[in-house]
Every structure is written in structure tokens, then in C-alpha cells.
Amino acid sequence: MRRSTAVVVAVLGLASVVGGLVHGTSSRSLPTWLLLGLLGLVTIPAGLAHGWPWLCLGVAGAGFLTAPTLSAVADAVSRLAPAGVRGEATGLQFSAQSAGLALGSPLVGAAIDVSLPAGGFVAAGLAGLAAALAGCLLSRRCPSLRPSAPARRKPAGRTDATQVP
């Protein structure tokens, strides 16, 4: 049993590394709320796995989206926070993430206790979907939370003083 647990954890970690590399090499990222929603969505079916080989397949999707989601959150915080308070904002983001982990583990454990082990995956996935929905709604209400469009590049050899209006 221990060997199969190690294999599942290794598959989860490897999928996260691959997801992080793919995300890091892509020129555009999906919105943070969408990545979080997809992560929540692919977490739920892992609870349906019967046996460790199927669980490996089930956690691979969640692993693939973990690093991109964490990276997108950190990028959004650093992009949205003014330079003077960026350190404080990233510290608060880390504290919120730690609090989520600290509170989420007992809640997932309680879901497992009152249902089946699959209930833990469902609870975690639904929490991710709820957070993604909140993020989606907030990004629509607060234009400052939307990713900014990339700046247009000026033609080579021209300066602002020589450009015609």
C-alpha cells in the first residue's frame, strides 16, 4: 500500500511540474478564476477512482493545473498591487493561502468522515469552484481586477516627439 501511495504522490508532483513548465512557456495565461475553476472541476472525479492506477489518472489533471493556478495567483497579486505595497500584498496572499490550507484540511476530513473518501475530493473541488465563481464575479464588477491588455509597441526608430498625432 505504501508503494502505491508514493506512486500517486509522484504522479501528482510530476503532473504539477509539467503543468508549470507548459504554463511558464506559454505566451498567454488563462484568467486566474478560470484556472482555479478548472482545478476544482478536475479534482472531483479523482474521488471516483477505484484502485491506485485510476487514482494516478485522476490526480494527474489536478496536478497539471496546480502550478499554473498558484503561479497565476502570484502574478495577479504582484500585477495589481502598487509597487509601494507589493511585498505586503504578496505576504497577505501567502497568509491567505496558508489559512486556506489550514482550514481546508479539516473540512475535507470532515467531508470524508460524513460520507466516503470520495467526499473529500468533492468537497475540495466544490470549494475551488465556489472560489472561482467568486473570482469571476469580482473580475466582472471590478475592472481593475481584469488582466490588462499588452501595451502596443512603438515602431522602431520613432520617438514620442516625432510621432504624428
Side-chain angles (χ1 to χ4, degrees), residues 37-48 58 61-63 66 118 120-126:
L38 290 171
L39 177 58
L41 193 63
V42 300
T43 298
I44 295 170
L48 302 175
T66 299
F121 289 100
V122 172
L126 289 177

Side-chain angles (χ1 to χ4, degrees), residues 68-157:
T69 303
L70 292 172
S71 175
V73 169
D75 178 59
V77 168
S78 67
R79 186 176 21 83
L80 293 170
V85 294
R86 195 163 291 142
E88 183 179 350
T90 56
L92 288 171
Q93 179 248 331
F94 180 75
S95 295
Q97 185 175 324
S98 296
L101 290 170
L103 295 172
S105 297
L107 292 176
V108 166
I112 292 170
D113 288 344
V114 300
S115 64
L116 301 168
F121 289 100
V122 172
L126 289 177
L129 286 171
L133 178 61
C136 176
L137 295 174
L138 283 172
S139 70
R140 293 177 191 273
R141 291 191 76 189
C142 305
S144 64
L145 295 178
R146 292 187 198 133
S148 58
R152 299 177 96 184
R153 297 184 70 165
K154 295 178 187 173

